[in-house]
Amino acid sequence: MLSRTADNLYWLARYMERADFLARILQATRRLATLPKAYGGAETEWESALLSSGAAPAFHAAGLPVDEANVTDFLAFSPDNPSSIRNCIELARANARAVRTALTVEMWEAINGAYLELKAFGQRGGRSSEDLTRFLDVVKQVSAAYDGGAHRTMLRNDAYWFSRVGLYIERADNTARLLDVKYHVLLPDSEAVGGSLDYFQWTAILRAVSAHTAYHWVYRDSLKPWLVADLLILRPEMPRSLIACYESVVQNLDRLGKSHGRHGPAQRHGRAVLGQLENATIESVFHKGLHEFIQTFIADNHRLGALVSEQYLF
Amino acid sequence: MLSKAAQFDEMGGVDGVTRLPYEKLSKWLSSVEPEFLASRRAQAELLFRRIGITFAVYGSQEATERLIPFDILPRIIARAEWAQLEKGLVQRVKALNLFLGDLYGPGEILRAGVVPSELVYRNPAFRPEMAGRRVPHDIFVHIAGIDIIRTDDDGFYVLEDNARTPSGVSYMLENREVLMRLLPDLFALHRVAPIENYPDQLLATLRSAAPRSAGADPVSVLLTPGQYNSAFYEHSFLADKLGVELVEGRDLFVKDDVVFMRTTEGPRRVDVIYRRIDDDFLDPLAFRPDSALGVAGLMGAYHAGNVTLANAVGTGVADDKAIYTYMPEVIRFYLGEEPLLKNVPTWRCREPEALAYVLEHLDELVVKEVNGSGGYGMLVGPHATRAQIADFAVKLAANPTNFIAQPTLALSTCPVSVERGVAPRHVDLRPFVLYGPNGASVVPGGLTRVAMTENSLVVNSSQGGGTKDTWIIDDAPARA
């Protein structure tokens, strides 16, 4: 397939996934911010949201005070934030338009629907809290419809594999960033430090990745911060865990390698990262230092993106 | 016959008696509630918006993507009427191809004095780069869109030939799909010639036009200027239906006079380029050096006979509005036949007597730039203000060679579903002709364009015109 098409599909998948993640972060933060200060419901939550989404430097450059209204607007609607939901959807649609031929009708309709919804929301002007709730739900639905459309209707060829590689690299990055911002509440000694007050922080993390119920099914235990970390890093049955993302990345890269007749640096690097995750235990992760572990992962994941570009996208 | 007196409606004729092809539609219309039509109109709009069928309008900032209005009532032509039209279209495209081969070859028609040389050689669309060059299979125009208007029962006129990169065929195809979803009952009353095989025929035409140096399985691509082009939707739609890559200039490169595309598996040879970008932008080395849309070295590969461009370079000289006036003579010259389709009588403003007449009668004529398209820069005399006419007269007198004038034709009308029921609106027709080494084919029907505003004669989509599904129906009435 055309290299440009592959590039577009790869980024299209990343933007759709990022829009979904931003919606989740906003929802989780809104919930957390309503708690009394003693329970962790501080203004710092909005700072955390900025950090998780990687938008903190751009936000602070604009010089706005960190509060709910400003951060929500910046993450959801700001044209000045390159990674706002609005820009993600607009970029996704621009990419989709350029590769209409590689998308199925279902996928296009999902993206175009998101775009129309965004326009309609922009035109209504006033943004009540209720409007925002609805909007964030729509973003998640659209992302699910796109993902499901791809899964159910796309031919299993390189177009599909490239878009899946993009999706999982982005998802791994999002989970890793979420963990990195909250790593301090996940350290084993934090239970002693913060007592049960951090409980709400842990649930917020789980909610952001739709894993609140999953946690209980996997561990059959009350919330323990190290288990939250275990779930999101090392549990293959948890679809947003780093290891699950990398199993999928490797699987799709392998198919690409097979159809192109050779494996390259991208396949080898992907396997190496997966290998590290497979061999790790949550104890070894904490021993190395959660923060350092995640920082290394984020860099490795970024490097994989670069290798894919080099190898296939010219 | 071209007078404004008798307004011909394709359903009601001139006397209000329903014409045969429209009998069932007319009966059906009187049986449905106005609310039904309104709800179907709303559904159609929703469908088009969701599929994302849009058209970019240049110079309109707030709406870079706009929907082309779609009318839900079909335009109906009987098979016998169509058969005549079809023959005339094939004849015309055959002549256009011979004409172009001659203009860039021996130039017999010029030496015979049938067409003035300066109209060809001083024409901005004439490509000196092509002089003396043969093109694969000697075919210049693979895809033609011939604009047709109707004035009465058997009066079909050619308004314009489009031999460069005629657009609109995606709307023809989508209109049919949408209408089949919206009005299945109306379809059930008729036997409508299918058009869905057009993409297959187009692909077959492109493949058959591949250069002889191509392998047994030639690779075709569709070359687009990119997603900001007004017709991008159509480009992506067609590439999809054809199953060929939709490429931009930057996806292609030329090495040793062979064209390649950049793929994830490395370079791949390209044999046929269905190009939807203008000559000027094809190759920055040969034409506009500032073009970022084209492919450097493409003309070298073309001249080496390693790639087919559809349509060929330089076809614009044949669809020029000044050359148009000579088409009847062109057909006689190459085919020795009488033209089956009439030309609209036209004053060539380059001729002094004609210019004098046109300047006298600006208020009743339509004056067009010979190289214009899309309805830009034209004057519709009867609808223009005094000031507009005066301004235009200055423009015209300053550069008469640049203009032609035609009477304001009594374009036929068709029933259109509007806010308040059903009303007649003016229409034209763009049938699409495919022409390859194995012969010609015409997709039954084509794109009907509608002037959505009452009494308006301007059907161009860039000027707010709409479209309709076009049915060629069997003459023998189907059992209801």
Side-chain angles (χ1 to χ4, degrees):
Chain A
M1 76 185 309
L2 280 181
S3 300
R4 181 175 50 84
T5 308
D7 190 51
N8 274 312
L9 285 168
Y10 172 85
W11 282 105
L12 169 54
R14 290 198 67 157
Y15 288 126
M16 289 303 280
E17 182 66 20
R18 193 174 297 173
D20 175 77
F21 177 69
L22 287 167
R24 289 165 182 282
I25 286 287
L26 280 171
Q27 284 181 331
T29 309
R30 292 174 86 204
R31 197 183 164 102
L32 212 48
T34 57
L35 291 173
K37 275 214 170 107
Y39 290 82
E43 284 77 20
T44 56
E45 287 317 318
W46 291 106
E47 182 67 37
S48 297
L50 285 171
L51 287 169
S52 312
S53 62
F59 183 87
H60 294 304
L64 294 165
V66 179
D67 60 24
E68 173 163 2
N70 284 335
V71 174
T72 304
D73 190 68
F74 194 73
L75 292 185
F77 304 108
S78 173
D80 307 324
N81 172 10
S83 290
S84 65
I85 292 179
R86 169 195 169 141
N87 275 332
C88 282
I89 290 173
E90 283 180 354
L91 285 167
R93 184 166 180 279
N95 274 283
R97 234 169 94 78
V99 295
R100 264 299 284 274
T101 54
L103 300 182
T104 62
V105 175
E106 281 80 357
M107 295 162 77
W108 167 256
E109 286 189 351
I111 294 172
N112 200 37
Y115 176 78
L116 297 176
E117 187 70 35
L118 182 72
K119 289 251 131 145
F121 196 79
Q123 276 159 11
R124 275 199 294 275
R127 284 166 197 154
S128 69
S129 179
E130 222 167 275
D131 281 343
L132 185 66
T133 304
R134 204 178 64 83
F135 178 74
L136 296 176
D137 280 338
V138 168
V139 171
K140 282 164 63 182
Q141 277 162 19
V142 160
S143 173
Y146 171 76
D147 196 22
H151 185 70
R152 293 173 69 145
T153 59
M154 265 183 107
L155 280 178
R156 294 315 194 248
N157 58 16
D158 40 7
Y160 182 75
W161 301 321
F162 274 114
S163 75
R164 290 284 131 170
V165 167
L167 169 94
Y168 291 115
I169 288 182
E170 179 68 27
R171 187 174 290 175
D173 184 66
N174 291 337
T175 301
R177 283 178 193 283
L178 179 67
L179 284 168
D180 196 38
V181 171
K182 294 288 186 187
Y183 80 94
H184 55 277
V185 298
L186 294 174
L187 296 176
D189 54 350
S190 70
E191 197 181 23
V193 175
S196 61
L197 292 184
D198 277 344
Y199 178 89
F200 300 99
Q201 292 282 350
W202 308 329
T203 59
I205 296 171
L206 290 174
R207 272 183 215 285
V209 294
S210 294
H212 195 215
T213 321
Y215 177 95
H216 295 286
W217 281 105
V218 172
Y219 299 105
R220 301 193 179 279
D221 195 352
S222 57
L223 285 189
K224 301 284 190 316
W226 57 90
L227 291 182
V228 172
D230 182 58
L231 182 67
L232 294 188
I233 298 172
L234 298 176
R235 278 295 182 153
E237 60 268 56
M238 170 64 209
R240 283 173 188 273
S241 71
L242 302 186
I243 195 168
C245 290
Y246 258 73
E247 280 179 351
S248 301
V249 165
V250 165
Q251 198 179 44
N252 286 287
L253 279 174
D254 279 355
R255 289 190 176 130
L256 270 177
K258 202 171 167 196
S259 85
H260 284 62
R262 67 178 274 270
H263 277 210
Q267 278 86 4
R268 288 190 280 275
H269 181 66
R271 281 206 172 279
V273 176
L274 178 60
Q276 284 158 20
L277 290 166
E278 281 170 344
N279 293 327
T281 60
I282 199 63
E283 290 76 20
S284 71
V285 169
F286 279 114
H287 186 73
K288 185 182 174 189
L290 181 59
H291 181 61
E292 290 71 21
F293 181 87
I294 292 168
Q295 285 291 324
T296 311
F297 177 85
I298 289 175
D300 276 342
N301 191 41
H302 181 76
R303 173 134 185 272
L304 180 63
L307 288 173
V308 168
S309 292
E310 241 167 73
Q311 192 172 328
Y312 292 109
L313 311 179
F314 305 104
Chain B
M1 61 175 180
L2 290 168
S3 72
K4 285 181 273 179
Q7 177 57 59
F8 174 74
D9 184 73
E10 297 191 10
M11 182 157 86
V14 283
D15 47 11
V17 179
T18 303
R19 292 174 63 250
L20 204 57
Y22 277 86
E23 253 179 5
K24 292 194 165 115
L25 176 65
S26 168
K27 216 179 278 173
W28 181 84
L29 274 174
S30 56
S31 74
V32 298
E33 303 291 328
E35 295 77 38
F36 174 82
L37 291 181
S39 81
R40 288 301 183 270
R41 283 220 316 272
Q43 266 183 33
E45 160 123 18
L46 203 69
L47 277 171
F48 278 107
R49 207 170 276 288
R50 269 184 56 200
I51 311 172
I53 304 180
T54 55
F55 183 87
V57 180
Y58 295 122
S60 129
Q61 273 199 337
E62 92 289 354
T64 48
E65 289 174 33
R66 194 184 287 175
L67 279 187
I68 296 191
F70 169 69
D71 178 59
I72 57 170
L73 300 180
R75 186 228 198 133
I76 304 179
I77 298 171
R79 182 169 288 285
E81 300 174 318
W82 173 252
Q84 279 308 314
L85 195 52
E86 192 179 9
K87 272 190 214 148
L89 291 166
V90 171
Q91 180 194 51
R92 194 137 177 139
V93 175
K94 213 166 156 186
L96 280 170
N97 271 295
L98 293 167
F99 181 44
L100 283 160
D102 188 24
L103 291 185
Y104 291 112
E108 288 168 15
I109 199 166
L110 307 179
R111 274 185 279 131
V114 175
V115 173
S117 299
E118 76 268 20
L119 266 193
V120 173
Y121 295 136
R122 302 183 67 180
N123 193 308
F126 180 80
R127 293 292 167 193
E129 298 86 350
M130 292 296 291
R133 306 279 187 179
R134 300 270 304 265
V135 295
H137 309 279
D138 293 319
I139 292 176
F140 281 79
V141 181
H142 307 81
I143 302 125
I146 310 290
D147 289 350
I148 300 283
I149 55 164
R150 186 168 201 181
T151 53
D152 53 47
D153 252 320
D154 41 26
F156 288 102
Y157 292 83
V158 175
L159 188 64
E160 202 174 303
D161 302 293
N162 294 282
R164 300 173 210 210
T165 51
S167 61
V169 81
S170 60
Y171 301 104
M172 171 189 86
L173 294 166
E174 290 285 46
N175 286 353
R176 174 64 53 87
E177 290 305 313
V178 166
L179 202 63
M180 286 180 95
R181 270 163 87 168
L182 290 178
L183 302 176
D185 294 348
L186 191 59
F187 270 92
L189 296 174
H190 297 85
R191 295 279 174 271
V192 185
I195 55 174
E196 64 194 43
N197 57 342
Y198 175 82
D200 271 356
Q201 292 188 338
L202 174 58
L203 184 62
T205 304
L206 293 174
R207 288 172 64 101
S208 69
R212 291 178 216 285
S213 63
D217 190 14
V219 174
S220 311
V221 298
L222 194 157
L223 176 61
T224 172
Q227 63 165 311
Y228 300 106
N229 182 265
S230 63
F232 181 75
Y233 170 75
E234 171 151 312
H235 304 163
S236 67
F237 174 90
L238 278 178
D240 195 25
K241 296 284 170 194
L242 292 169
V244 304
E245 295 290 356
L246 177 63
V247 301
E248 295 179 17
R250 56 191 158 125
D251 298 321
L252 300 179
F253 68 94
V254 177
K255 200 179 164 219
D256 299 334
D257 282 342
V258 174
V259 184
F260 294 93
M261 60 178 158
R262 294 173 219 276
T263 78
T264 55
E265 292 164 90
R268 183 156 183 226
R269 183 181 161 150
V270 172
D271 303 299
V272 182
I273 302 179
Y274 175 21
R275 49 94 171 212
R276 296 294 298 259
I277 74 180
D278 294 340
D279 288 355
D280 272 340
F281 299 96
L282 272 178
D283 181 350
L285 298 181
F287 305 114
R288 282 176 61 155
D290 60 336
S291 167
L293 304 174
V295 185
L298 181 58
M299 285 304 282
Y302 190 44
H303 289 324
N306 288 334
V307 68
T308 296
L309 295 176
N311 291 345
V313 174
T315 54
V317 68
D319 71 8
D320 178 84
K321 291 188 183 71
I323 295 284
Y324 158 87
T325 62
Y326 294 93
M327 275 311 286
E329 285 96 319
V330 168
I331 292 170
R332 287 185 201 105
F333 187 83
Y334 294 107
L335 302 176
E337 300 169 0
E338 272 309 296
L340 299 171
L341 293 173
K342 289 170 277 189
N343 254 25
V344 176
T346 305
W347 288 273
R348 301 162 183 152
C349 298
R350 58 195 297 274
E351 296 168 3
E353 314 90 82
L355 176 64
Y357 178 88
V358 171
L359 284 170
E360 276 296 293
H361 297 85
L362 274 180
D363 58 337
E364 50 190 73
L365 298 174
V366 178
V367 190
K368 299 173 179 173
E369 286 186 46
V370 288
N371 283 305
S373 71
Y376 292 100
M378 66 189 252
L379 175 83
V380 182
H383 293 196
T385 62
R386 272 165 188 282
Q388 280 169 332
I389 289 179
D391 281 354
F392 205 88
V394 176
K395 244 168 74 179
L396 173 57
N399 188 10
T401 326
N402 201 27
F403 295 93
I404 53 141
Q406 295 170 335
T408 41
L409 300 168
L411 251 65
S412 60
T413 54
C414 276
V416 166
S417 164
V418 296
E419 286 296 326
R420 289 193 220 161
V422 174
R425 293 285 184 269
H426 292 289
V427 293
D428 80 351
L429 177 66
R430 174 177 290 182
F432 296 93
V433 185
L434 296 173
Y435 196 80
N438 307 325
S441 68
V442 189
V443 60
L447 181 70
T448 289
R449 299 188 296 178
V450 196
M452 298 301 278
T453 322
E454 198 173 353
N455 294 325
S456 167
L457 294 168
V458 184
V459 296
N460 304 76
S461 44
S462 47
Q463 311 278 319
T467 66
K468 259 173 165 324
D469 191 14
T470 311
W471 292 7
I472 307 301
I473 59 158
D474 280 358
D475 303 310
R479 304 238 169 266

